[in-house]
Amino acid sequence: MAQMTMIKAITNAMQTELKNDENVLVFGEDVGQNGGVFRATEGLQDEFGEERVFDTPLAESGIGGLSIGLGLQGYRPVMEIQFFGFVFEAMDSINGQMARMRYRTGGAHNAPITIRAPFGGGVHTPELHADSLEGLIAQQPGMKVVIPSTPYDAKGLLISAIRDNDPVLFLEHMKLYRSFRGEVPEEAYTVDLTKADVKREGKDVSIIAYGAMVHSALKAADELEKNDIDAEVIDLRTVSPIDIETIIESVKKTNHAIVVQEAQRQAGVAANVVAEIQERAIMHLEAPVLRVTAPDTVYAFSEAEEIWLPNEKDIIEKVNTVIDY
Amino acid sequence: MKHVLESVESQFEMFQVLNENGEIVNKDDMPDLSDEELKELMRRMVYTRILDQRSIALNRQGRLGFYAPTAGQEASQLGSQFALEQDDFLLPGYRDVPQLIWQGLPLYQAFLFSKGHFHGNQMPENVQALSPQIIIGAQYVQTAGVALGMKLRGKKNVAVAYTGDGGTSQGDFYEGINFAGAYGAPAIFFVQNNYFAISVPVEKQSAVKTLAQKSVAAGIEGIQVDGMDVLAVYAVTKHAREHAINGDGPMLIETLTYRYGPHTMSGDDPTRYRTDELNDEWEKRDPIVRFRKFLEEKGIWSEEEENKVVEDAKEDIKKAIKEADNYPKQKVTDLIGNMYEELPVNLQEQMEEYKEKESK
């Protein structure tokens, strides 16, 4: 099995599906000859030609609308939003249009679109480049929001997303692109979009996370083990719709939970997970479910970035609070 | 230098074939239509005027939901639709229901669309269209995508976006025409300039003299047409269609037209922003009146013939509204079932909850 970074696994997934299905088209700003600003589409235009992998004019709403129209002609568009902070320009196309295509046409049409975008902080990007805006799309029924945390998952989930007949937002954490390698099969495989992954089994506390925070949670779990706290770490993988069954099963075993997200606290994915746990498993809880999040400010790009972002120490602290409650 | 600055505007003189008196003023561009086809165009306009009157009445009785009146715009709507082929793809705005009907959407489904029933949005298999778009301008960017898809598939068809003048004030208008232009995609961007975006007149929306000249910025062809002249609209759309499928790129068509009624039946009062004088001026240019004069002069149209169309329309409308009234009501469980191809866990639970609620 090959060792790949997450970015290579993502390129490999697109290459696999471009080969597998001639209806797959990859497009966005600078994705052609340039291979994308992060090189996610490197080499794809040379291999598949300018009709399958192409640059668009610099206009996110146009890219969204183009995807919807191509979907109506039976293509499977894989569109790139260059940085997720630019998604506001495409919000009508995403939340207003593609999410409701199946309902709006009574099932006569769908929107088999995959939206790829880099997101997440900690890599010192300029303003509006690092924002964690998954909550904005997660609130929209009709969309699926997927966030991989490993190279293996990135390839399998992206292939599943491209094959899915509903629109999928696929968010790629910039810090994970090249920070480590993992085993990734060369052949095509899928990872179920509807299932969370129990990354580490434990009996004392459930740490529910996604994206880069999965790695912080795993590091925290290793530290906690030194103090005889056995943490279970769950990677949500898909933050909308959420696999609530896996979470509840875990909470029933550990009786303690914290939810970790890099995004700001207000509204958002973690708030939803906490609400689901209290509705479904309150009698199994020995302490309130706490959250580890960024503060409710706009993203602190540059100087204050490191302290703004949640980290493993914050996770350890919150776990100790719920265990000692 | 002044003449250089004015040169763009001077390219956009209004194109006309039939004047207000029903006389051909532009023989060279008279479309090649048989007497039967000319009569069919008239039949569609008269029918649609009656449909508009009846829809307004049905709306007032509470038997329809959302409705945007169409009277005044028949030449723009139906002259363009008449130039399209069955496999062309329409992306209409909320006022563009008549084009869908003449493209093959059954009348009762048009009424269901008005009532907010999703079956009104399920196009029959032979109708390539989305249901009327509610967001102003969203159809422009989608049309670029449909047109690019047609080009990639090697189809000899066009994608057609319809909006009003307000749509051209949206960013999506520019992104759509620019994308289609950049890709040389077979699209027609059709702007029905009825002068008011609800209440705001076109001169307060933009400093441009014509909306057609906005095509210059995207590097595509653009033309302004007398939107009360069905022959001119037909001729221009036919030309745009051929232009697009020949690989010469998209076209922007601006028709100068007018809606006699309010913006929609949901509370708009046009007397707040339009004068009687303006209304009278436009009614003198009425597309049906002028085309009737032309056909009568040609000796192929009569009062009896027109009365027959009116009676047929009334009869069809009566049947269709009955069918829409009797169509099974939409349920929340239908809505839940149509959100995704497969029901996620949250919706599986909500499906059970609403099945229970709806069974009571």
Side-chain angles (χ1 to χ4, degrees), chain A residues 23 55-56 59 61-62 65-66 69-70 73-75 92 97 102-106 141-143 165-166 241 280, chain B residues 118 121-122 131-133 135 138 141-142 145-146 149 152-153 155 172 175 179 183 330 335 338-341 344 349:
Chain A
N23 292 311
D55 290 319
T56 62
S61 183
L66 195 76
L70 287 166
Q73 289 295 305
Y75 287 100
D92 178 53
Q97 304 289 324
R102 185 179 287 283
Y103 168 66
R104 187 166 184 250
T105 63
M143 293 298 302
N165 284 331
D166 292 315
R280 293 163 196 265
Chain B
F118 70 83
N121 299 351
Q122 286 173 319
S131 54
Q133 178 60 252
I135 295 300
V141 284
Q142 296 171 19
V146 175
L152 292 175
R153 294 262 186 242
K155 290 182 183 173
D172 274 357
E175 293 189 28
F179 269 57
Y183 295 127
Q330 177 173 301
L335 209 175
N338 266 335
M339 288 309 303
Y340 296 90
E341 188 171 55
E349 291 174 356

Side-chain angles (χ1 to χ4, degrees), chain B residues 15-259:
Chain B
F15 174 79
Q16 195 179 45
V17 173
L18 198 65
N19 71 11
E20 289 170 39
N21 302 319
E23 298 154 355
I24 299 291
V25 291
N26 180 359
K27 278 203 183 82
D28 292 347
D29 289 304
M30 172 70 192
D32 184 21
L33 290 168
S34 68
D35 285 357
E36 273 316 302
E37 287 170 320
L38 291 169
K39 285 169 70 172
E40 177 62 18
L41 259 178
M42 181 63 177
R43 201 175 78 80
R44 291 183 182 195
M45 286 204 291
V46 171
Y47 190 112
T48 303
R49 180 70 59 91
I50 298 301
L51 175 62
D52 185 63
Q53 289 167 0
R54 295 294 305 139
S55 297
I56 288 169
L58 288 164
N59 174 282
R60 288 191 176 130
Q61 293 163 22
R63 291 178 79 186
L64 283 185
F66 172 82
Y67 184 69
T70 61
Q73 297 195 195
E74 292 90 350
S76 289
Q77 295 181 321
L78 305 177
S80 58
Q81 185 275 329
F82 202 64
L84 302 178
E85 299 291 330
Q86 192 60 46
D87 283 339
D88 293 341
F89 201 111
L90 273 62
L91 294 98
Y94 46 78
R95 204 181 305 283
D96 300 309
V97 178
Q99 294 96 305
L100 293 177
I101 291 170
W102 292 109
Q103 201 74 5
L105 179 70
L107 209 44
Y108 85 95
Q109 281 190 266
F111 291 148
L112 286 174
F113 158 75
S114 168
K115 287 161 169 266
H117 194 301
F118 70 83
H119 181 53
N121 299 351
Q122 286 173 319
M123 295 295 142
E125 233 166 70
N126 67 332
V127 179
Q128 308 306 315
L130 286 185
S131 54
Q133 178 60 252
I134 297 300
I135 295 300
I136 311 293
Q139 60 271 51
Y140 280 103
V141 284
Q142 296 171 19
T143 296
V146 175
L148 176 59
M150 286 173 161
K151 185 181 172 180
L152 292 175
R153 294 262 186 242
K155 290 182 183 173
K156 290 288 176 197
N157 286 106
V158 291
V160 189
Y162 283 99
T163 59
D165 45 292
T168 69
S169 299
Q170 288 276 358
D172 274 357
F173 166 79
Y174 174 70
E175 293 189 28
I177 63 172
N178 188 60
F179 269 57
Y183 295 127
I188 299 175
F189 298 102
F190 200 92
V191 179
Q192 296 172 83
N193 178 0
N194 65 19
Y195 284 89
F196 293 93
I198 303 188
S199 67
V200 179
V202 73
E203 63 266 18
K204 285 191 180 169
Q205 292 185 60
S206 176
V208 292
K209 292 279 193 310
T210 69
L211 298 178
Q213 78 198 58
K214 292 193 175 194
S215 60
V216 175
I220 69 171
E221 301 270 342
I223 187 168
Q224 188 186 64
V225 189
D226 183 343
M228 307 301 260
D229 171 1
V230 73
L231 294 178
V233 174
Y234 171 84
V236 162
T237 312
K238 188 94 180 158
H239 168 80
R241 192 181 181 281
E242 276 157 23
H243 179 88
I245 62 174
N246 286 337
D248 296 329
M251 257 189 82
L252 174 65
I253 299 172
E254 175 195 9
T255 67
L256 298 179
T257 184
Y258 200 73
R259 63 168 152 85

Side-chain angles (χ1 to χ4, degrees), chain A:
Chain A
M1 217 182 281
Q3 289 282 319
M4 287 186 201
T5 56
M6 189 189 270
I7 191 101
K8 282 287 171 212
I10 286 165
T11 310
N12 190 270
M14 284 188 275
Q15 186 189 29
T16 303
E17 288 310 280
L18 280 159
K19 264 188 211 159
N20 172 57
D21 182 350
E22 60 179 23
N23 292 311
V24 173
L25 302 175
V26 171
F27 53 88
E29 294 157 8
D30 306 297
V31 305
Q33 210 48 51
N34 194 41
V37 292
F38 289 97
R39 308 287 175 259
T41 53
E42 192 161 40
L44 297 181
Q45 189 176 67
D46 283 343
E47 188 177 349
F48 298 99
E50 283 186 47
E51 285 206 345
R52 306 276 315 278
V53 180
F54 55 91
D55 290 319
T56 62
L58 202 160
E60 286 76 17
S61 183
I63 295 169
L66 195 76
S67 302
I68 293 166
L70 287 166
L72 290 169
Q73 289 295 305
Y75 287 100
R76 305 192 82 82
V78 181
M79 63 177 256
E80 181 177 298
I81 297 281
Q82 196 158 60
F83 286 90
F84 198 47
F86 308 166
V87 76
F88 297 105
E89 308 291 331
M91 281 304 275
D92 178 53
S93 282
I94 299 170
N95 278 10
Q97 304 289 324
M98 60 180 81
R100 56 197 303 129
M101 183 63 78
R102 185 179 287 283
Y103 168 66
R104 187 166 184 250
T105 63
H109 290 295
N110 57 20
I113 298 160
T114 303
I115 306 161
R116 288 184 41 251
F119 86 117
V123 295
H124 306 292
T125 50
E127 190 172 12
L128 282 162
H129 282 64
D131 300 45
S132 292
L133 302 169
E134 64 274 13
L136 287 183
I137 318 282
Q139 203 191 9
Q140 176 61 53
M143 293 298 302
K144 294 178 183 174
V145 182
V146 176
I147 303 178
S149 70
T150 66
Y152 179 90
D153 274 7
K155 179 173 173 181
L157 290 168
L158 182 53
I159 291 177
S160 295
I162 294 171
R163 294 183 185 177
D164 201 286
N165 284 331
D166 292 315
V168 179
L169 173 67
F170 189 87
L171 290 176
E172 302 161 7
H173 199 288
M174 288 186 279
K175 208 170 177 178
L176 301 184
Y177 268 155
R178 292 186 170 85
S179 56
F180 65 98
R181 287 168 192 275
E183 291 205 331
V184 178
E186 289 285 357
E187 68 273 13
Y189 64 91
T190 56
V191 171
D192 191 343
L193 297 180
T194 69
K195 290 276 173 266
D197 185 27
V198 180
K199 278 264 181 284
R200 182 191 199 278
E201 288 195 28
K203 58 179 175 27
D204 297 328
V205 60
S206 305
I207 306 176
I208 299 141
Y210 58 92
M213 286 296 123
V214 172
H215 299 277
S216 302
L218 287 169
K219 276 186 206 157
D222 286 344
E223 284 299 309
L224 288 161
E225 198 174 11
K226 294 175 188 164
N227 293 326
D228 291 329
I229 297 172
D230 186 12
E232 179 147 304
V233 176
I234 295 174
D235 177 358
L236 285 179
R237 280 180 174 151
T238 296
V239 301
S240 179
I242 289 172
D243 172 13
I244 216 67
E245 282 170 17
T246 300
I247 296 169
I248 298 302
E249 206 177 301
S250 174
V251 171
K252 283 181 178 170
K253 181 172 69 174
T254 63
N255 313 113
H256 300 88
I258 68 162
V259 190
V260 188
Q261 70 179 17
E262 190 175 311
Q264 293 87 338
R265 172 166 303 226
Q266 61 189 43
V269 171
N272 188 31
V273 172
V274 173
E276 293 283 358
I277 294 171
Q278 75 85 14
E279 278 190 23
R280 293 163 196 265
I282 197 161
M283 299 308 283
H284 295 274
L285 289 173
E286 288 176 14
V289 183
L290 300 183
R291 282 174 290 169
V292 176
T293 70
D296 291 327
T297 72
V298 293
Y299 187 81
F301 70 104
S302 209
E303 275 198 0
E305 197 169 354
E306 290 310 322
I307 187 138
W308 188 89
L309 288 165
N311 61 33
E312 63 209 68
K313 281 186 188 148
D314 302 324
I315 296 172
I316 291 167
E317 200 183 305
K318 282 279 156 55
V319 166
N320 285 326
T321 309
V322 294
I323 294 286
D324 297 340
Y325 187 76

Side-chain angles (χ1 to χ4, degrees), chain B residues 247-282:
Chain B
D248 296 329
M251 257 189 82
L252 174 65
I253 299 172
E254 175 195 9
T255 67
L256 298 179
T257 184
Y258 200 73
R259 63 168 152 85
Y260 296 157
H263 164 64
T264 71
M265 293 303 292
S266 313
D268 178 43
D269 171 12
T271 63
R272 293 171 73 95
Y273 54 86
R274 293 195 312 211
T275 60
D276 287 345
E277 293 74 43
L278 188 64
N279 292 337
D280 293 346
E281 194 186 308
W282 276 97

